Amino acid sequence: AQKITQTQPGMFVQEKEAVTLDCTYDTSDQSYGLFWYKQPSSGEMIFLIYQGSYDEQNATEGRYSLNFQKARKSANLVISASQLGDSAMYFCAMSPWGGATNKLIFGTGTLLAVQP
Amino acid sequence: EAGVAQSPRYKIIEKRQSVAFWCNPISGHATLYWYQQILGQGPKLLIQFQNNGVVDDSQLPKDRFSAERLKGVDSTLKIQPAKLEDSAVYLCASSLGRGDEQFFGPGTRLTVL
């Protein structure tokens, strides 16, 4: 069975500093996608970044980068130059490829608080 | 481009009552998902539609939950009768196709008293 583990319930970071949010995953599939979503207090899920299991380069999207270590089954999110607006819940998720469903399997999330 | 629309945004009911949620996906998106997010947890897929056919409903409590997507566009999710443990945010998402990025709606927050 596929599983996502986020071990940090909450994190604090000073504005303008970088922060790493941890994510490990468990799957027997060879092909899968890894995602990070941001959920502000308003409730919507905002897509941040995607990494395919066969991608050799780490994904980057603006201030977001995904530190993908396939052998360790980890997909940590790095946010550089944190901003006050980054305060939110962050979810790591994975999706299998090739099967009937591409449902997202989410972790329990990490609540990030950016301090001025 | 308009995003995924959901209504209502909030609903409070008593246990054993019925409730229905509506979702209108992004125009042209063939795949539609309903997720349940209980407080303190990540979303969990309830049902996935490809056009108007069900792809995955393995985690849908079929004794009380039902969903339909008539004409392959908008969708409704119904709970009948509701239980206390159904209190959650119900998120609808859509994607162009099965392997494409999922876009989420604002969610419906259900409180069952």
Side-chain angles (χ1 to χ4, degrees):
Chain A
Q2 294 127 344
K3 186 178 179 182
I4 295 284
T5 301
Q6 294 181 255
T7 56
Q8 304 155 313
M11 291 279 288
F12 287 99
V13 65
Q14 290 292 121
E15 195 177 6
K16 299 180 186 176
E17 292 188 348
V19 63
T20 298
L21 306 183
D22 295 340
C23 172
T24 58
Y25 60 93
D26 188 18
T27 182
S28 56
D29 293 323
Q30 295 300 309
S31 302
Y32 49 88
L34 295 159
F35 303 78
W36 278 91
Y37 282 83
K38 173 184 178 181
Q39 188 175 44
S41 56
S42 52
E44 75 273 26
M45 298 288 281
I46 302 167
F47 166 76
L48 295 178
I49 195 166
Y50 163 81
Q51 178 89 38
S53 59
Y54 290 112
D55 294 339
E56 295 185 353
Q57 302 267 15
N58 285 341
T60 59
E61 289 284 351
R63 295 185 299 111
Y64 304 108
S65 60
L66 198 153
N67 185 359
F68 180 45
Q69 298 187 47
K70 193 171 182 177
R72 299 178 65 179
K73 293 190 174 178
S74 74
N76 297 340
L77 177 71
V78 180
I79 306 174
S80 62
S82 297
Q83 301 172 356
L84 295 177
D86 293 335
S87 294
M89 198 75 173
Y90 288 81
F91 288 96
C92 179
M94 70 176 296
S95 176
W97 289 349
T101 176
N102 63 311
K103 66 183 178 185
L104 289 168
I105 298 154
F106 287 87
T108 51
T110 296
L111 182 62
L112 178 67
V114 180
Q115 298 175 319
Chain B
E1 174 182 271
V4 177
Q6 289 188 248
S7 67
R9 290 297 312 277
Y10 305 91
K11 189 76 177 178
I12 301 173
I13 62 172
E14 296 189 347
K15 60 183 179 183
R16 290 188 289 273
Q17 286 187 323
S18 301
V19 65
F21 313 129
W22 174 81
C23 172
N24 190 25
I26 293 172
S27 178
H29 281 197
T31 313
L32 186 146
Y33 315 78
W34 282 102
Y35 289 87
Q36 179 193 56
Q37 186 177 18
I38 293 171
L39 187 65
Q41 299 181 18
K44 179 187 78 173
L45 181 77
L46 291 176
I47 189 166
Q48 177 182 346
F49 292 94
Q50 181 69 21
N51 297 307
N52 59 352
V54 175
V55 174
D56 183 353
D57 63 356
S58 57
Q59 297 191 85
L60 186 74
K62 298 181 186 65
D63 57 335
R64 297 184 300 106
F65 285 64
S66 64
E68 60 182 11
R69 190 183 184 197
L70 299 176
K71 300 181 182 179
V73 182
D74 54 354
S75 174
T76 56
L77 176 69
K78 296 179 182 176
I79 308 175
Q80 182 180 8
K83 292 185 175 181
L84 296 177
E85 59 260 36
D86 298 332
S87 293
V89 176
Y90 291 85
L91 294 162
C92 180
S94 71
S95 64
L96 199 59
R98 261 183 30 206
D100 297 311
E101 177 188 341
Q102 296 182 29
F103 294 85
F104 284 80
T108 295
R109 184 177 298 276
L110 173 68
T111 302
V112 182
L113 302 175

